Amino acid sequence: MKPVIIIGSGGHARVLLDILLRKSQAILGFTDLPHQKNSLSPPFLNIPLIGSDEQIFNYPPDAIHLVNGLGMIPGPGLFRRRDIYQKFKDYGYTFATIVHPSAVIAEDVILSEGVQVMAGAVIQTGSVIGENCIINTRTAVDHDTVLGRHVHLAPGTTVCGNVTIGEGSFVGAGSTIIPGIKIAANSIIKAGSLIKYKLDTPY
Amino acid sequence: MKPVIIIGSGGHARVLLDILLRKSQAILGFTDLPHQKNSLSPPFLNIPLIGSDEQIFNYPPDAIHLVNGLGMIPGPGLFRRRDIYQKFKDYGYTFATIVHPSAVIAEDVILSEGVQVMAGAVIQTGSVIGENCIINTRTAVDHDTVLGRHVHLAPGTTVCGNVTIGEGSFVGAGSTIIPGIKIAANSIIKAGSLIKYKLDTPY
Amino acid sequence: MKPVIIIGSGGHARVLLDILLRKSQAILGFTDLPHQKNSLSPPFLNIPLIGSDEQIFNYPPDAIHLVNGLGMIPGPGLFRRRDIYQKFKDYGYTFATIVHPSAVIAEDVILSEGVQVMAGAVIQTGSVIGENCIINTRTAVDHDTVLGRHVHLAPGTTVCGNVTIGEGSFVGAGSTIIPGIKIAANSIIKAGSLIKYKLDTPY
C-alpha cells in the first residue's frame, strides 16, 4: 500500500495513527497548522511533522494516500474536516479507508473512500457508509443504515436499523437513533440525544 | 451441524445470515410471507427463498434446525417472534443458538435454545439467558443477570449486574438498567430509558 | 506470574475470576467477610474460600499479587474498595493489573497498578488510568483522557477525548461525558447521566 500523510496532529489524528501502526502502514508524517501549540504535537512515536497542509503538494497524488486527521471542531471550524477532504480530492488525491482490527463489519457493507472506523465499532449487514465518515469508538450501526458523506458518529452512539443520516451530519456521543428514522443533511445532534422523530431540518 | 432454515427475510434475518455465513453454516433458505414486497428480499447472497413458513413442514424436525429471523415488530405483530417460536417447538422442531464470533460470553453463562447474540455483545459470569432471547448489537449484560424467555435487548443497551428481566420483555435501544433491578414479564421499555426502579407491571 | 488472591467473592470478583481463568492465572482463592451469606459464594469453579481478608497476611507480600474484587458498594461501603487497596499497599502487597483479552487498549496508554479493564472496553491513545480504577464492561475511554486513582467507570459508559476525572469518582452505567470535561475528585455521577459541564465539586 502507498505511504500515507496524516492531515492534522490532534487527538483524532493520533487515534488514527494507532490504527495505522497496528497495520504496519508506512507513514510519511503529520501535517499541522503553523505555530500550533500542542503538548502532544509531533514528533509522536517518531512520526515527523512535515509542516502545514500545503506541504502535501510536494508529493504527487498517485504516490500517496491521505488520512483526514481532523475530528469534530465545534464552532467556526465545523466544516474544516469536510472542506479539507474536498480540497485535496479536487487536486486528485485519494484518502485511505481505515478500519480498526477490532471493528466488526458485515461482509456486504459498503465503506466509501476515506471512511474511518474506530475500535469496538460494529456495522451490520446492508449498510452503506459515505465518503469521509467517522464511525467513532464503540459505535453501533445496525442493518440497512445509510450514512451520507462526511457524517460523524461520535463515540458510544447507537444507530438502529434502516436509519438514513444525511450528508454532513454530526451525531453526538452516547446518542441513540431508533429504527427507520431519517435525519436531514447537516444535522447537529447533541450528545446523549434520543432521536425518535424524522428530522427534516437541521436539529 | 444440521442445515438451517431462517424464518423471515428482513433485516434481523440477514444479520443472522451474516453470522451463519461466518461460521460456514449450511443454509437451506429463508422463508417469508407470501407476496412480501421487500427490495432486500431473497435471493440474498445466493440464499434462496423457499416460500412461506409452512414450507418448513416439508423437512422432518430432526433433519434441520430453525433460526428465528423475526426481530422487533411494533404494534399488532409484537408477539409474532414468540408465537412462531412456540408453534414450531410444538411440532418438534429445534432452534439454533447463534453467537457472533466477536461476542464475549463468560464460560459459565447459560444460553438456552434459540438465543441469538449479535456482534460486540458481552455477557458476564453467572448470567442465564432464556429461550429465544435476542442479545442485540453491542449490548452489555453484566454478572448474574437472568433473562426470561423471548426477551429482546435492542442494540446498545446496558444491563448491569444482578438484573432480572421477565419473559417476553423488550428493552429499547440505548437503554440502561442499573444493578439489582427486577423487570416484570412483557414489559416494553422505550429506547433510551434509564430503569432505576423495579417494574412490577408492564411499563 | 505469581499466584493471586482475590479479595471478595461477589459478582465483581467473579467477573475478574473469568478473566484470570482465560489467562490461565494461578489463583489461591477468594476472601470474604466472615459469615457472608451469598448463594454464589465460593467454592466457585473449584476456587476455594480462604477466609477473611486477614488470611492474606499468611502470605508474604513478595509471594503473591492481590486482585481487588470489590466493586461499587453504595452507601456506607462506598470507600471500601479504595480503603482495602490502600491498606494492603501499606503492608507492601501489590495488585495485579487485569485486562480482558477482548478489551482494546492503545499501545501508549498507561495502566497503573491494580487497574481492571473488563470485556469489550476500549481505551484510546494518550490516556492515563490511575491505580485501582475499574474500566467496566463495554466502556469507552477516548484519547488523552486521564483518570485519577480509584475511579470506577460503570458498564456501558462513554468518556470522550481529553476528559479528566478526579480520584475516587464513580461514573454510573450508560453515562456519557463529552470532550474536554473535568470532573472533581470523589464525584458520584448517576447512571444514564450526560455530563456537559465541568464538575468542580462532587455531583
Side-chain angles (χ1 to χ4, degrees), chain B residues 105 124 138 140 142 144 157 194, chain C residues 11 14 22 100 137-138 155 191:
Chain B
I105 300 176
Q124 297 285 27
R138 230 203 54 204
D142 230 290
D144 306 311
T157 57
L194 171 65
Chain C
R14 289 181 297 102
R22 284 170 189 254
H100 194 282
T137 309
R138 231 203 52 203

Side-chain angles (χ1 to χ4, degrees), chain C residues 119-193:
Chain C
V122 178
I123 307 178
Q124 296 286 26
T125 185
S127 295
V128 178
I129 312 298
E131 285 178 58
N132 198 37
C133 282
I134 302 175
I135 311 298
N136 220 325
T137 309
R138 231 203 52 203
T139 290
V141 176
D142 229 291
H143 60 83
D144 306 310
T145 283
V146 177
L147 307 189
R149 301 189 305 160
H150 316 300
V151 170
H152 181 176
L153 305 182
T157 58
T158 300
V159 179
C160 289
N162 292 305
V163 166
T164 301
I165 302 180
E167 179 170 326
S169 293
F170 173 79
V171 180
S175 294
T176 301
I177 303 178
I178 73 164
I181 294 296
K182 295 194 189 321
I183 309 276
N186 299 315
S187 299
I188 304 288
I189 293 173
K190 290 175 186 167
S193 296

